[in-house]
Amino acid sequence: MASTSRIIIRKDALKHNVRFIRSVVNPDTVISAVIKGNAYGHGVSVIIPALEELGIHHFSVYSSAEAREACQHRGKHTTIMVMGFIDEGDLEWIIRNEIEFYVSHPLQLEQALTKARSMHKDARIHLDIETGMYRTGLTLPQLKQAAVVINRNRDFLTIRGAASHFAGAESIANHMRIKKQYAVFNKRIRMLQESGIHPETKHIASSAAMINYPETQMDLVRTGVLIYGYWPTKETFIHYTHRRKDKTDPLRRALSWVTRVMLTKDIPEGEFIGYGLNYQAQQKMRIMVLPVGYCNGYSRSLSNNGHVIVRGMRSPVIGMVNMNMIICDITDNPAVRPGDEVTLIGRQGDAEISFSSFAEMNNSLNYEILARLPDNIDRIILNN
Ligand SMILES: *Cc1c(COP(=O)(O)O)cnc(C)c1O
C-alpha cells in the first residue's frame, strides 16, 4: 500500500555530490558514506544501491540494528562499519557477517574477544581513540591495556582501523581544540605502532574536517551530510567558497518530499477552520487538505507558519498541524484539484521550499530535520 506522501531521491544529485567529494578528497583516501539515521532520512534501501553504482563500497552506520538493515541492501564487495552501539547479543551476528565495528571501551574489547574465540573467527575492529572530545573512545591507559590484550590474541582480533572524531570541525571557534585532537591522534597511533599494532585504516575526518582541515583526511573519510547535498554548517560553505572564484554551491539537494491534494473546500467568511480558534476566515476562502501531519514528520511548529507548493504557487499552512493532516489556503489558486501533486520540500516550477527554510521554520538543524523524516514514508529514486 502506498504511503500518504513520498520522498523522492534524485540520483543525478547524488552523483554530482559524490563527484564533488572526490574532487576535494585525496585520490588514495577511501570515502565511507555515513548512512546512520536511515541515511539521514533518505532511506538506506535506495541510498546504498545508488551509491554503490557510483563506486562507493564503504558504509558507516551507528548501531548493530542499522548494520543489519544495511546488510540487506549491500552488494558483495561492500564493507559496513558500526561506529557506535552494539548490543552484546548482536556480536555473534556482527562477527559472522564480517561487519567492522568500533571498540570504544575495554569491556567491549573483552566481549568481542570472548565471542570471537568461541566462534573461531576474528572480530574486525577499529580502535576508537579518545583524543579530546570526551564522548566515546579509549583513554591512554585503556589503549595501552588494549594493546596488551590485542597482542596476546592476534588470531581473534583484526585491527582494521584506528578512529577518532573531532569535537566540532565545522566551526573555526574550535580551531585549537581540533589541532590538538589531531596531534593526540597521531601520537596514539605511533604508540600503537611501537607496540607492534598497525591499524590498517586511520580515520578521523567527517565532512566538515575533510573540507576545513584537508590534512586530516588520512586513509578514509566518513562523510554523511555532503553526500545528500547539505553543508555541515553555513560557516563550512563560506569557508569553502571563500577560497574560490566561483561562489555557487557545488552541492545539490538529493531529496524532495511530495504528497497529493486530498480534497478542496469553500469556506464562508467568518468561520473557524480546523481545531479550536486557531484560524478564522477573514473572507470567503478556499482550502485544500493534505494527508500529512506530525506523525509523518511534518512538525507542529509549522502550524500557521509553514508553506507548501501546488500548481507552481506557494500556499500557506493554516491552523494547527494535525497528526495526519494539514490544511492550506488556496484562495488565490482556484485551479487546484484533488490529486494534484503538492511539494512539501523541494522545487516545483519557479517556486521552492528549500530545505533550510523548512528547517528554519522548524527552528532546527538540517541534520535533525533529515533524521526525523519517518521510515514509513515511501522512498523513490529518480534515475535522471
Ligand atoms: C555522523 C558522523 C559522521 C559524519 O558526519 P557528517 O557531518 O554528516 O559528515 C562521521 N563520523 C562520526 C563518528 C559520526 O557520528
Side-chain angles (χ1 to χ4, degrees):
M1 220 57 82
S3 57
T4 63
S5 65
R6 284 162 297 140
I7 285 173
I8 296 172
I9 310 295
R10 297 179 61 99
K11 202 188 276 179
D12 65 341
L14 294 173
K15 187 172 175 182
H16 186 90
N17 299 334
V18 167
R19 194 180 298 150
F20 168 71
I21 292 165
R22 290 218 165 92
S23 77
V24 295
V25 171
N26 301 320
D28 296 336
T29 300
V30 172
I31 295 169
S32 180
V34 179
I35 53 164
K36 65 191 179 192
N38 197 21
Y40 292 48
H42 290 62
V44 162
S45 60
V46 296
I47 289 295
I48 293 178
L51 291 179
E52 282 179 341
E53 243 177 75
L54 297 172
I56 301 229
H57 298 285
H58 198 290
F59 292 89
S60 297
V61 298
Y62 182 74
S63 63
S64 39
E66 287 186 347
R68 190 182 283 261
E69 157 125 68
C71 244
Q72 290 165 0
H73 303 287
R74 74 162 162 181
K76 249 202 198 118
H77 304 291
T78 288
T79 302
I80 293 170
M81 176 172 83
V82 181
M83 307 181 293
F85 180 75
I86 295 178
D87 189 84
E88 198 184 351
D90 294 337
L91 265 174
E92 180 164 347
W93 180 85
I94 291 277
I95 294 170
R96 180 158 23 86
N97 286 279
E98 306 186 344
I99 308 288
E100 303 186 358
F101 59 101
Y102 278 27
V103 163
S104 314
H105 190 272
L107 186 62
Q108 245 186 321
L109 185 63
E110 215 42 63
Q111 290 173 348
L113 181 56
T114 307
K115 185 54 77 183
R117 214 186 264 131
S118 77
M119 295 172 68
H120 303 288
K121 187 164 171 58
D122 65 317
R124 306 183 170 200
I125 66 173
H126 292 248
L127 294 167
D128 178 13
I129 300 175
E130 174 61 72
T131 56
M133 182 171 185
Y134 296 104
R135 191 173 65 177
T136 61
L138 298 158
T139 61
L140 182 54
Q142 290 173 337
L143 192 63
K144 285 181 173 161
Q145 183 53 34
V148 174
V149 174
I150 290 163
N151 277 326
R152 284 195 196 134
N153 295 281
R154 288 293 182 161
D155 291 348
F156 300 114
L157 295 169
T158 299
I159 312 307
R160 288 289 295 125
S164 193
H165 191 59
F166 289 127
E170 62 278 354
S171 173
I172 201 72
N174 303 324
H175 182 75
M176 293 309 286
R177 192 172 174 197
I178 301 304
K179 286 278 170 196
K180 198 168 154 205
Q181 278 191 272
Y182 190 55
V184 170
F185 189 51
N186 281 302
K187 216 161 114 183
R188 297 289 178 270
I189 287 167
R190 275 198 302 278
M191 186 216 92
L192 283 172
Q193 287 167 340
E194 278 156 18
S195 32
I197 295 166
H198 300 272
E200 293 165 34
T201 312
K202 301 172 281 297
H203 52 104
I204 189 165
S206 61
S207 295
M210 95 191 196
I211 301 272
N212 291 340
Y213 303 91
E215 69 279 14
T216 67
Q217 290 175 2
M218 306 183 96
D219 302 317
L220 175 147
V221 289
R222 305 180 306 256
T223 175
V225 79
L226 290 172
I227 290 190
Y228 311 105
Y230 304 89
W231 292 87
T233 55
K234 201 165 190 172
E235 191 181 324
T236 314
F237 171 61
I238 291 167
H239 181 88
Y240 176 78
T241 50
H242 176 69
R243 294 168 287 174
R244 328 194 146 246
K245 269 209 207 84
D246 184 2
K247 305 289 183 201
T248 56
D249 189 345
L251 298 174
R252 291 194 194 150
R253 316 283 181 260
L255 170 149
S256 55
W257 186 17
V258 301
T259 183
R260 288 190 188 282
V261 178
M262 194 169 149
L263 56 87
T264 62
K265 184 173 282 187
D266 292 312
I267 309 292
E269 179 183 339
E271 295 296 332
F272 289 96
I273 301 174
Y275 283 119
L277 307 176
N278 291 297
Y279 191 90
Q280 185 177 26
Q282 300 297 321
Q283 49 168 345
K284 239 172 101 272
M285 283 180 74
R286 193 171 171 78
I287 58 148
M288 64 177 175
V289 176
L290 308 180
V292 292
Y294 56 79
C295 88
N296 311 109
Y298 202 89
S299 166
R300 279 186 88 237
S301 62
L302 296 168
S303 298
N304 271 324
N305 181 22
H307 284 83
V308 303
I309 311 171
V310 61
R311 294 205 175 228
M313 263 177 81
R314 284 165 71 90
S315 163
V317 173
I318 61 179
M320 303 308 285
V321 172
N322 299 171
M323 188 185 286
N324 304 96
M325 282 184 268
I326 53 176
I327 301 171
C328 299
D329 180 2
I330 49 162
T331 309
D332 299 329
N333 198 354
V336 174
R337 293 287 173 270
D340 282 355
E341 183 162 284
V342 178
T343 299
L344 305 171
I345 296 178
R347 179 176 278 288
Q348 193 188 103
D350 292 334
E352 183 177 14
I353 309 292
S354 75
F355 201 85
S356 55
S357 75
F358 188 84
E360 252 161 50
M361 289 189 280
N362 256 304
N363 190 24
S364 139
L365 211 62
N366 282 347
Y367 288 86
E368 183 184 346
I369 300 282
L370 287 169
R372 273 214 310 248
L373 290 169
D375 298 349
N376 62 6
I377 303 175
D378 295 341
R379 267 70 171 177
I380 290 157
I381 189 118
L382 276 191
N383 281 311
N384 51 24

